[in-house]
Structure formats: structure tokens, C-alpha cells
């Protein structure tokens, strides 16, 4: 039965977006996005600034409200008015920001402990253990007591990744996480994300690092003017782009007409 | 003819200092407690109550404290409340301090990078947790210098309470000047005492500022 097919298809989507529209005033930045991200899938979103890719990402954990369409994570629909539902959803969705956004009044370890302590009511000793193991996982063992400003940009971003992982989210959103970093610090952050991808995490990554997107992604989405313009496996997107917009974005010469 | 020695003058002025200190302290502490409440209301969504707070702040910032004191003193009496100069001055200065503290602290909250709100929201914290654990600790550090500035303003402006007959340092100075016929000496001493109270506050504020600066 076709109905059954649809429901089983829904179960397979960890993040399911249908007909998502979003306007800033008169400017429609998302013009009907449909996207299904499966568990353990790594999806990269590429596109010019202003194409709506960051806005789409920010819609997934409710930082941005959308005007039309539906969005669900792990089968739970995102409802903006419902504080309880938002809290549930956000525990399932971790986010890593361009500007790291570590809390400057806390040490690296406290940054990681905060949400488990408050939201999951983890006892202090357990939260500390969790934070220490997460710091080790991102290659910062022993930096529990460092203040954010004592760390390099790359180290701060790795603490931010550990903080996003602390709630054990089902999906992690990465919003241009290396754009604010000095070039020599980009590698250490990407290595951590690559490791997460290998370990089976579900990741949605907005990035300008094409080499990285190609290496780590299961699927690449090219956004253009508020729409998913082209999507496919990385080799397909980067080696044989079908649309002139994507060729242009990748700085490839226009396709020769035979 | 002049039966007052300099020591008499100084001693009588110093006797009034505790009233100035007490009035300032009550206004500052009461105003601060109230201002935290007002600040939370201003940050709450929907913004209906916040708008009311905004207008209260505008009202107190846009009228002279002297008028506020008159209106409190005579206004409360109009409503049948049996006011004393102490009660009127206290209520009025608390509301005055609260208005300025609310506005100043709200400015500090607004200047916190939006990423701090977003990061704490994305960690599933609710508004109360965001404020208590992320926003207010940063607000507090940012607010130290302007708050010390306001404290000094409150101490100096407590002198206006003299107009409703509250006997603090300035009122005591007026009375002593009237009987000693030495206004320059008396008001000079009054000013020196205010300076001796306010200057250490400013110094302390500067030291605190250095210690609480946030490094992003």
C-alpha cells in the first residue's frame, strides 16, 4: 500500500522538512524546502551567502521561526509556542556556531557541564566526568579549567563541539564552524567533525570548505535563491554539476555545448 | 554673638551623615532589588509588561527628581496616606534609583552578543536558566562601572530629600547655616563631606571594573 510506504519513509527520516518557507519582511529567503536526513547521514549544505543555507539550519533547532511548512526531528514536530516541546527538541539537536559562543564567565569544562546539569539534572560529579571525557574526545584533555579566552580559536571551537555533544543529541548542526578561524586552525576542528562522522553521528553542515564537504559528506545540497537547487553524492555534485548555477558557484567553466 | 565653634558645626553636620547614608543605601538596595524584577519583565515575552516598564523608566528619566519628590510627598497625602518626610523620600528615591538602574542594566543585557542567547537556547535552556547562568553573570560584570556611577548620583541626589523636610546632610547644613550666618563655611563643609563619601565609591568602582572585565 502506498500509504504504508510513506509512513515507513517518515520513520527513516531523523530530520524531516516539508515545504518550509521563511520570509524576512518582503524578502523570501526559503521558498519551500523539502529535506529528509537519515540517521547517521552526513549532509553538507553549500551555496552563496544569502542563499538561505544558514537560515535553514537555524530553523532546525528553532533559533529561527518559519512561516509555512513543517519540520520534525526524531518524529517530534517543532512547535514554536510550546516551550516544553522546544526543550525536548533542542536536547536532540546540538549546534556549533561560527563564532563559537562559549560562555565567557565559565571555564571550558563548566561550559560543557551546564546543559547536562540544568536540563538533564545530572549530579555535579557525573557531569564533570562527562565533560572530561568529552574534552578528551575533542583532543583537549586536561583543559577543563581553562577560561575560553585562554584557548586558541580552534580549541574554543572544539570545546563548543564538546558542549554541543554533551546532551547526546541525535543530530548536530554546524554553521560555518571554521569561517572565523585562522587557516592553520581549521584542520584541527575539521578532524574532530570527521571523527564524529566516522563514528556514525548525524551531521548537517553548512560550510565553505568544499574539500571537507567532499570528503566527509554522504550527500551534498547546493542551495540557490532559497531553494534546493541541486543535490547528490559529493562526487556527483563536485565532478559533474548539472546546473549552470552550481558550475558557476564551483568556479567551473560553463559547460561546452557539443 | 556667634556661639557656634567650628567644631560645633562639624559635629552637627556629621550627626546628619548617617541619615544621608541610610537614605542612599535604602534607595540603592531597594532600587536594585526592584530593578532586577523590572529587568526580567522587560526581557519577558510577550512584551506587554515590558512596555509598561519602559514607560515607567521614561517617566522617571524625563522629569526632575525635585518634582518627583514633591509629587510623592503631596500626592501620597492626597490619597489619604499619612506620609512622613522619611517615607516619601524613601519611596521616591527607590523608584528613581530603580528607573535608572533598570535602564542601565537593560543596556548591558542588550550589548551581550546575541550568540550567547542563541548558544544557551540551543542547549535547551529555558529563559530563567539563560538569565541566571549565562546572561546575568555577564550583565553583572559589564554593569559594575555604570552602577557605581549611579550609586554616586543617588548619594548626591539624596540631598534633594531636604525639600520635603527630611533632615539629612544638606538639610542639616541649611539649618546650621541659618543660625550661624556662615553659609560659605557650612556649605563648603557639606560639599567636602559628600566628596569624602562619593570619591571612595568611585575608586572602589574602578578597582572592581578591572577585576570583573569580561574577556570574550
Amino acid at each position: 500500500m502506498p500509504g504504508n510506504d510513506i509512513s515507513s519513509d517518515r520513520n527513516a527520516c531523523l530530520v524531516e522538512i516539508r515545504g518550509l518557507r521563511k520570509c524576512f519582511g518582503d524578502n523570501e529567503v526559503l521558498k519551500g524546502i523539502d529535506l529528509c536526513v537519515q540517521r547517521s547521514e552526513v549532509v553538507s549544505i553549500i551555496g552563496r551567502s544569502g542563499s538561505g543555507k544558514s537560515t535553514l539550519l537555524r530553523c532546525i533547532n528553532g533559533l529561527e521561526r518559519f512561516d509555512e511548512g513543517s519540520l520534525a526531528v526524531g518524529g517530534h514536530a517543532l512547535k514554536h509556542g510550546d516551550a516544553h516541546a522546544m526543550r525536548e527538541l533542542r536536547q536532540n539537536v546540538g549546534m556549533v556556531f561560527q563564532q563559537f559562543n562559549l560562555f565567557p564567565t565559565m571555564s571550558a569544562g563548566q561550559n560543557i557541564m551546564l546543559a547536562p546539569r540544568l536540563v538533564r539534572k545530572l549530579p555535579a560529579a557525573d557531569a564533570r566526568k562527562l565533560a572530561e571525557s568529552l574534552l578528551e574526545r575533542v583532543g583537549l584533555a586536561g583543559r577543563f579549567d581553562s577560561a575560553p579566552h585562554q584557548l586558541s580559536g580552534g580549541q574554543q571551537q572544539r570545546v563548543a563541539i564538546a558542549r554541543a555533544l554533551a546532551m547526546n543529541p541525535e543530530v548536530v548542526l554546524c554553521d560555518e564552524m571554521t569561517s572565523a578561524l585562522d587557516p592553520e586552525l581549521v584542520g584541527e576542528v575539521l578532524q574532530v567533525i570527521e571523527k564524529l562522522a566516522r563514528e556514525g553521528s548525524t551531521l548537517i553542515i553548512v560550510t565553505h570548505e568544499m574539500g571537507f564537504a567532499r570528503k566527509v559528506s554522504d550527500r551534498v545540497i547546493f542551495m540557490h535563491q532559497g531553494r534546493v537547487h541541486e543535490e547528490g553524492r559529493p562526487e556527483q555534485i563536485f565532478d559533474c554539476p548539472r546546473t549552470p548555477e552550481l558550475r558557476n558557484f564551483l568556479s567551473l567553466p560553463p559547460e561546452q555545448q557539443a | 554673638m556667634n556661639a557656634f565653634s567650628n567644631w560645633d558645626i562639624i559635629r552637627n553636620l556629621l550627626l546628619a551623615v548617617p541619615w544621608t547614608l541610610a537614605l542612599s543605601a535604602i534607595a540603592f538596595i531597594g532600587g536594585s532589588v526592584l530593578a532586577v524584577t523590572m529587568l526580567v519583565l522587560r526581557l519577558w515575552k510577550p512584551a506587554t509588561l515590558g512596555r509598561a516598564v519602559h514607560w515607567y523608566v521614561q517617566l522617571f528619566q524625563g522629569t526632575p527628581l525635585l518634582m518627583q519628590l514633591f509629587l510623592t510627598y503631596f500626592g501620597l497625602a492626597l490619597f489619604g496616606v499619612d506620609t512622613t518626610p522619611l517615607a516619601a523620600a524613601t519611596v521616591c528615591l527607590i523608584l528613581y534609583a530603580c528607573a535608572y538602574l533598570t535602564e542601565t542594566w537593560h543596556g548591558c543585557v542588550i550589548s551581550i552578543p546575541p550568540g550567547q542567547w542563541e548558544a544557551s537556547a540551543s542547549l535547551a535552556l529555558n529563559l530563567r536558566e539563560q538569565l541566571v547562568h549565562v546572561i546575568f553573570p555577564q550583565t553583572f560584570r559589564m554593569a559594575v562601572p555604570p552602577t557605581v556611577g549611579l550609586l554616586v548620583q543617588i548619594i548626591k541626589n539624596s540631598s534633594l530629600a531636604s525639600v520635603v523636610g527630611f533632615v539629612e546632610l544638606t538639610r542639616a547644613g541649611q539649618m546650621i547655616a541659618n543660625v550661624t550666618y556662615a553659609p560659605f563655611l557650612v556649605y563648603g563643609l557639606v560639599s567636602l563631606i559628600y566628596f569624602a563619601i562619593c570619591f571612595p565609591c568611585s575608586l572602589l568602582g574602578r578597582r572592581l571594573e578591572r577585576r570583573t572585565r569580561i574577556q570574550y
Side-chain angles (χ1 to χ4, degrees), chain A:
Chain A
M1 248 169 80
N4 279 340
D5 283 339
I6 288 168
S7 70
S8 66
D9 177 49
R10 276 194 185 176
N11 288 337
C13 288
L14 180 58
V15 178
E16 186 184 35
I17 301 173
R18 296 208 169 190
L20 198 76
R21 285 174 184 274
K22 160 85 187 167
C23 300
F24 288 115
D26 290 339
N27 183 18
E28 192 175 34
V29 287
L30 297 178
K31 300 171 183 167
I33 303 283
D34 295 293
L35 181 65
C36 167
V37 178
Q38 270 145 24
R39 200 171 291 276
S40 295
E41 196 180 13
V42 178
V43 175
S44 291
I45 306 178
I46 60 172
R48 290 187 197 289
S49 13
S51 60
K53 53 192 193 311
S54 278
T55 308
L56 173 63
L57 201 68
R58 292 161 55 86
C59 279
I60 298 175
N61 70 350
L63 284 182
E64 211 76 72
R65 284 168 178 264
F66 49 86
D67 301 314
E68 270 178 56
S70 69
L71 200 160
V73 178
H76 299 286
L78 188 149
K79 291 180 225 139
H80 262 290
D82 185 342
H84 182 74
M86 285 305 292
R87 196 165 161 103
E88 289 293 314
L89 181 125
R90 282 174 169 160
Q91 291 184 55
N92 273 331
V93 184
M95 182 144 186
V96 180
F97 297 86
Q98 182 175 353
Q99 299 294 341
F100 332 135
N101 296 340
L102 292 181
F103 307 131
T105 54
M106 299 174 205
S107 70
Q110 288 167 334
N111 262 278
I112 300 169
M113 283 169 66
L114 185 69
R117 289 273 286 141
L118 291 177
V119 183
R120 273 171 48 200
K121 314 284 182 216
L122 216 59
D126 296 353
R128 194 184 166 98
K129 248 180 247 159
L130 173 70
E132 278 165 351
S133 76
L134 283 167
L135 279 172
E136 200 180 322
R137 208 165 146 199
V138 297
L140 289 170
R143 302 309 295 265
F144 187 94
D145 291 313
S146 302
H149 69 91
Q150 294 169 325
L151 301 170
S152 73
Q155 291 171 327
Q156 286 190 47
Q157 191 60 298
R158 284 188 280 153
V159 173
I161 293 169
R163 183 176 69 175
L165 294 176
M167 298 295 283
N168 205 12
E170 291 187 284
V171 53
V172 178
L173 314 173
C174 303
D175 190 7
E176 301 189 23
M177 62 196 162
T178 56
S179 299
L181 292 175
D182 293 335
E184 74 268 23
L185 301 177
V186 168
E188 60 187 72
V189 172
L190 295 186
Q191 267 172 23
V192 170
I193 295 295
E194 237 185 284
K195 198 169 110 196
L196 288 181
R198 274 202 310 273
E199 289 165 3
S201 303
T202 312
L203 304 171
I204 306 179
I205 303 167
V206 165
T207 185
H208 290 155
E209 304 275 343
M210 296 305 148
F212 174 70
R214 181 185 197 124
K215 190 167 157 195
V216 79
S217 314
D218 299 311
R219 181 154 52 118
V220 177
I221 288 174
F222 170 62
M223 282 189 66
H224 184 67
Q225 295 181 348
R227 290 199 172 85
V228 174
H229 203 74
E230 197 170 331
E231 68 178 304
R233 297 200 51 79
E235 47 288 2
Q236 186 187 332
I237 290 288
F238 291 111
D239 297 335
C240 13
R242 293 188 301 267
T243 59
E245 288 81 8
L246 178 55
R247 292 191 71 83
N248 191 349
F249 174 74
L250 295 171
S251 310
L252 297 174
E255 220 163 349
Q256 299 297 317
Q257 296 290 321

